[in-house]
Amino acid sequence: MENSTKENAQLFSKTIILPIDRSSSKSESSASKEKQTCCGGIKIFLGALSFVYFAKALSGSYLKSTITQIERRFDIPSSLVGVIDGSFEIGNLLIIILVSYFGAKLHRPKIIGVGCLIMSAGTFLIAMPQFFMGRYRYEIFSSSTNSTVSISPCLQDKNQIPLSVLERSQAKINAGCEKEVGSSMWIYVLLGNLLRGIGETPIQPLGITYIDDYASEESAAFYIGCVQTVAIIGPIFGFLLGSLCAKLYVDIGFVDLDSITITHNDARWVGAWWLGYLIAGVLSVLAAIPFWFLPKHLPRPESRKDSSTFSEQSKFITEDNREHHRSYEQQVKILEMAKDFLPSVKNLFGNPVYFLYLCASIIQFNSLIGMVTYKPKYIEQQYGQSSSKTNFVIGLINIPAVAFGIFSGGLIMKKFRINVLGAAKLSLGSSFFGYLLLLSLFAMGCENSDVAGLTVSYEGTKQVSSYEETLFSECNSGCICSKNEWDPICGENGITYVSACLAGCKTSNGSGKTSVFYNCSCVGIAASPSKSSSAVMGACQKGNECPKMFLYFLVISVITSYTLSIGGTPGYILLLRCIKPQLKSFALGIYTLAIRVLAGVPAPVYFGVSLDTTCLKWGSKRCGGRGACRLYDSNAFRYIYLGLTVVLGTLSVFLSIAVLFILKKRYVPQDENITANGGRGMVSVQNRKDNFVNNDYLIQTTYWAEKET
């Protein structure tokens, strides 16, 4: 493919130096052949890049869908899960400047192919701990797995405990602790995600600029929009895959599923989180294959050969254009490129539009990344939904709304022929109304579940204190119970009890999920006279109003996702058009680096730390120590989760206003004089040395407005 492209380029080169008296038919034939090669090559690259975007988006969204699964499987808090999630951005940080700056001058398709292979290796590494750390164990009442032995949940006398149970308790201290090293296997998940970040690095800056270099001006923005839209399909399948895997038990194929005593809605449930990573890894390998056969360069389209036909980005450059474009066919030396590094950085950060937009994006992405990372957990804890249903809802409802919003933003810009100033206004408006809608979600939450000793007293009244000492009461004082275990049961009175022992249950019947507990002294004191003092396995459902609130939440969430996404394409065009043409790849790399370092890395961590403060009941590890959170304070969780999102979003809106103000003050008076014939006229500007480049770059081609797709 590469040799063929070179031959076609050489043929074109020979054609243009033929004598003028040569027949015009041969010239037309050569031009037609070159046009076909150019169009075919860029479309093949477009298809390959779209599939890579799909693969990387699928694996990234699948990680988001397994946040709670990883937290429970490795018994770690949300803050540590945030570190794992942020390791992807750290991987980007390690090489993104080198890749975006030097990679633009090397063989971009092959560099993208190498990145895909590294990304697949990291994805496989994430799944590996499942095969080395043993079977998943969770807190459980001892007799619930064996129907032949009836043990009183309320252990009033140690002598009534069978020897097998005592031995099992001793094994929890001895053999269990020897295997406790398995809990540190989360490090491999972190390293795998780090590799994913390294492999993903070249895809965006090199892929997007490759399209922008070799596609015609009127097609470049459309192609970029296509890639971004296809990339949205990846998260849809990622969350749907997460929904499917969350339904399957983590050790499926290795244990008897009939012996599992927990359900999908249980806070201890862990799905087959590892399975999706194997699938995502295979997709990344397949995505790498086409890039090894694509050429380093493609023939430039006719409309891009004239140096005077640069895009609208030239109008907003504040420095003089004294640098000449280097030919891609010239061999570039590393030392020469390194010398241009610091001047390039100075040029970028000396551009006030680029700098302020970068700051606004950093704060907004802090808001969005934190919100998206913990949205599955928010739905699970706030509305009592299972991980499977949560991922299904996000993948089937929220993500398509985002895709439609991005497409709508591009369509609005094309239909109304919006320039860069209009793009800034559209981006600002979408952010403002999007965060305004988020405020309504504060009123669409569910109250805390009634959990005896945590959110309500054992008498059924509202709990004032949330200390664990309140788990013990007079009704269970005669029982030998542990306050660290979480094996909830639902009493006939609608109150959840941390364990059958703490509920004071004297007898039990059945096994596994069908276990029923009787003569529960704590259930009896809070129950009405007409109800018995029995209880069943599992926590009680949320209040009757919660399903209705969940529907309201879904509606507002979809509208908010759509509104915020409308500003995606205008913002991207604003970023590309406010910098020098030769700095596009580098500017995208710096932009991506800043987002990764200042938003992608810290946002999941401090969101996770903040959410951990709302935990009411922590799980316990086999050898002691705090595990994953089993129960959150719903009200505090909602206020912190939504509060952080809205506050950060508001700050980004103020910075976006500053971007718009500078655009109006500096540039609008000189580029508004466009003739009213659909954008086909010339741009009348003054040649100001401190604000604009050479006037040749201000001469617009036809279809000037159409490239703002």
Side-chain angles (χ1 to χ4, degrees):
M1 179 70 182
E2 184 177 355
N3 293 334
S4 176
T5 305
K6 289 181 177 179
E7 290 174 0
N8 288 330
Q10 292 173 359
L11 177 60
F12 171 75
S13 179
K14 293 177 181 178
T15 301
I16 60 175
I17 61 174
L18 286 175
I20 298 177
D21 59 348
R22 195 66 71 88
S23 64
S24 61
S25 61
K26 290 186 178 181
S27 298
E28 293 176 358
S29 176
S30 298
S32 176
K33 190 173 182 180
E34 182 214 351
K35 184 177 180 180
Q36 293 175 0
T37 303
C38 173
C39 293
I42 195 63
K43 288 181 179 178
I44 292 174
F45 182 85
L46 176 65
L49 187 67
S50 298
F51 185 67
V52 170
Y53 263 70
F54 171 82
K56 80 180 184 71
L58 183 142
S59 60
S61 59
Y62 183 77
L63 177 69
K64 301 291 185 186
S65 73
T66 57
I67 285 293
T68 55
Q69 312 292 311
I70 292 174
E71 181 179 329
R72 297 169 185 172
R73 182 66 178 95
F74 297 96
D75 255 335
I76 54 179
S78 297
S79 55
L80 193 51
V81 173
V83 173
I84 293 175
D85 186 74
S87 64
F88 176 86
E89 322 300 346
I90 296 175
N92 272 262
L93 166 65
L94 295 177
I95 64 170
I96 191 168
I97 291 184
L98 296 176
V99 168
S100 59
Y101 187 72
F102 295 108
K105 314 186 188 302
L106 302 175
H107 199 301
R108 285 179 282 185
K110 286 188 177 179
I111 293 177
I112 294 175
V114 171
C116 291
L117 294 179
I118 296 175
M119 191 165 56
S120 66
T123 308
F124 287 132
L125 183 60
I126 293 176
M128 287 302 103
Q130 173 63 22
F131 303 99
F132 298 107
M133 63 184 299
R135 303 291 165 257
Y136 173 59
R137 293 174 181 159
Y138 51 89
E139 308 106 311
I140 187 173
F141 173 55
S142 300
S143 68
S144 61
T145 57
N146 191 347
S147 60
T148 62
V149 180
S150 179
I151 305 175
S152 172
C154 178
L155 303 177
Q156 299 179 2
D157 185 0
K158 199 171 184 179
N159 294 327
Q160 69 177 256
I161 308 175
L163 184 61
S164 61
V165 177
L166 288 175
E167 291 173 347
R168 189 175 302 172
S169 300
Q170 188 65 29
K172 181 186 293 185
I173 300 175
N174 297 332
C177 290
E178 293 176 3
K179 296 180 180 179
E180 189 68 7
V181 293
S183 62
S184 63
M185 296 290 283
W186 60 266
I187 295 176
Y188 290 96
V189 180
L190 185 145
L191 292 177
N193 206 30
L194 188 77
L195 276 179
R196 278 189 58 246
I198 293 175
E200 190 265 355
T201 302
I203 295 175
Q204 179 180 355
L206 301 188
I208 295 297
T209 55
Y210 192 90
I211 291 177
D212 199 53
D213 284 340
Y214 297 113
S216 60
E217 285 192 359
E218 61 269 20
S219 300
F222 176 73
Y223 287 162
I224 292 173
C226 289
V227 170
Q228 298 289 352
T229 303
V230 170
I232 295 296
I233 301 177
I236 294 177
F237 282 89
F239 277 102
L240 292 180
L241 180 62
S243 175
L244 175 62
C245 293
K247 283 185 178 180
L248 308 175
Y249 186 65
V250 59
D251 294 321
I252 186 172
F254 300 96
V255 297
D256 180 12
L257 297 181
D258 293 333
S259 65
I260 306 302
T261 61
I262 55 178
T263 62
H264 302 89
N265 289 320
D266 198 290
R268 297 163 293 173
W269 175 269
V270 177
W273 62 276
W274 50 273
L275 184 59
Y277 289 109
L278 299 181
I279 297 173
V282 172
L283 288 177
S284 296
V285 172
L286 296 177
I289 296 176
F291 290 96
W292 296 98
F293 303 97
L294 287 167
K296 181 179 180 181
H297 307 298
L298 291 173
R300 300 179 74 88
E302 289 289 340
S303 60
R304 303 295 291 270
K305 287 181 181 178
D306 188 356
S307 61
S308 66
T309 60
F310 280 105
S311 57
E312 187 184 357
Q313 61 194 9
S314 308
K315 298 189 301 185
F316 294 96
I317 302 172
T318 60
E319 298 84 12
D320 289 333
N321 185 23
R322 298 175 180 174
E323 299 176 5
H324 297 287
H325 290 278
R326 296 186 180 94
S327 173
Y328 281 103
E329 284 73 23
Q330 295 175 348
Q331 184 176 0
V332 183
K333 295 181 180 179
I334 300 298
L335 183 60
E336 294 177 354
M337 291 188 292
K339 289 180 179 178
D340 292 335
F341 179 76
L342 291 179
S344 298
V345 173
K346 183 179 179 181
N347 285 336
L348 285 180
F349 287 96
N351 187 332
V353 176
Y354 178 83
F355 179 74
L356 282 176
Y357 181 76
L358 179 64
C359 293
S361 298
I362 289 171
I363 296 178
Q364 185 176 37
F365 272 97
N366 268 276
S367 170
L368 297 179
I369 290 173
M371 180 178 67
V372 171
T373 299
Y374 293 101
K375 190 167 189 175
K377 176 187 281 288
Y378 177 78
I379 295 176
E380 291 175 35
Q381 296 296 331
Q382 190 68 210
Y383 302 103
Q385 303 298 322
S386 67
S387 296
S388 177
K389 184 175 181 180
T390 297
N391 292 329
F392 182 81
V393 165
I394 293 176
L396 206 61
I397 298 178
N398 279 96
I399 304 300
V402 173
F404 188 54
I406 292 175
F407 176 78
S408 298
L411 189 63
I412 290 172
M413 293 194 68
K414 179 178 176 63
K415 183 175 180 60
F416 296 99
R417 302 186 175 186
I418 297 176
N419 57 14
V420 173
L421 179 62
K425 292 180 180 178
L426 185 57
S427 179
L428 171 62
S430 69
S431 297
F432 175 77
F433 288 108
Y435 288 110
L436 198 62
L437 285 170
L438 278 178
L439 290 175
S440 62
L441 294 182
F442 281 97
M444 298 179 187
C446 297
E447 294 297 323
N448 285 316
S449 299
D450 291 339
V451 182
L454 293 177
T455 60
V456 297
S457 67
Y458 278 89
E459 289 76 21
T461 58
K462 291 298 180 183
Q463 186 76 6
V464 177
S465 174
S466 60
Y467 293 107
E468 287 188 337
E469 283 72 10
T470 58
L471 290 175
F472 298 105
S473 177
E474 184 178 351
C475 63
N476 57 29
S477 59
C479 302
I480 305 174
C481 307
S482 170
K483 67 179 182 180
N484 296 323
E485 293 184 357
W486 175 263
D487 190 16
I489 63 171
C490 180
E492 287 288 333
N493 54 5
I495 297 177
T496 298
Y497 296 86
V498 173
S499 67
C501 182
L502 288 171
C505 300
K506 306 299 188 298
T507 59
S508 64
N509 186 22
S511 62
K513 300 175 185 177
T514 61
S515 297
V516 181
F517 303 91
Y518 300 100
N519 299 324
C520 302
S521 56
C522 294
V523 177
I525 64 172
S528 60
S530 61
K531 292 189 176 182
S532 64
S533 57
S534 62
V536 295
M537 288 292 294
C540 298
Q541 295 295 321
K542 289 264 189 179
N544 295 331
E545 293 295 320
C546 206
K548 185 188 298 183
M549 287 294 179
F550 181 54
L551 290 178
Y552 294 156
F553 167 81
L554 290 181
V555 172
I556 297 298
S557 179
V558 168
I559 298 175
T560 302
S561 299
Y562 172 77
T563 304
L564 288 172
S565 301
I566 288 178
T569 301
Y572 211 79
I573 293 299
L574 172 62
L575 176 66
L576 285 175
R577 303 310 182 197
C578 73
I579 52 180
K580 285 186 176 183
Q582 63 268 33
L583 294 179
K584 282 185 299 186
S585 181
F586 187 46
L588 279 176
I590 292 292
Y591 177 83
T592 308
L593 169 67
I595 297 299
R596 305 291 193 197
V597 177
L598 302 177
V601 174
V605 177
Y606 67 75
F607 262 79
V609 171
S610 301
L611 295 178
D612 279 341
T613 62
T614 68
C615 184
L616 296 177
K617 181 69 178 73
W618 291 95
S620 58
K621 296 183 179 180
R622 292 193 297 274
C623 298
R626 195 171 74 175
C629 185
R630 303 304 188 193
L631 179 69
Y632 289 91
D633 183 335
S634 294
N635 293 326
F637 195 100
R638 180 171 70 255
Y639 294 144
I640 289 180
Y641 173 79
L642 294 177
L644 278 174
T645 302
V646 172
V647 169
L648 291 170
T650 302
L651 291 176
S652 71
V653 168
F654 282 119
L655 285 174
S656 297
I657 293 174
V659 171
L660 186 60
F661 176 77
I662 291 180
L663 282 176
K664 280 187 174 182
K665 183 179 179 181
R666 285 199 166 195
Y667 307 116
V668 172
Q670 296 157 51
D671 62 6
E672 286 274 321
N673 298 323
I674 303 175
T675 55
N677 60 352
R680 297 173 182 265
M682 306 291 288
V683 178
S684 176
V685 297
Q686 299 176 2
N687 184 18
R688 288 176 48 181
K689 180 178 179 180
D690 57 340
N691 283 337
F692 296 98
V693 296
N694 190 291
N695 277 337
D696 290 341
Y697 290 87
L698 300 175
I699 301 175
Q700 302 299 316
T701 61
T702 57
Y703 305 102
W704 174 79
E706 277 75 1
K707 71 173 182 294
E708 300 289 358
T709 308

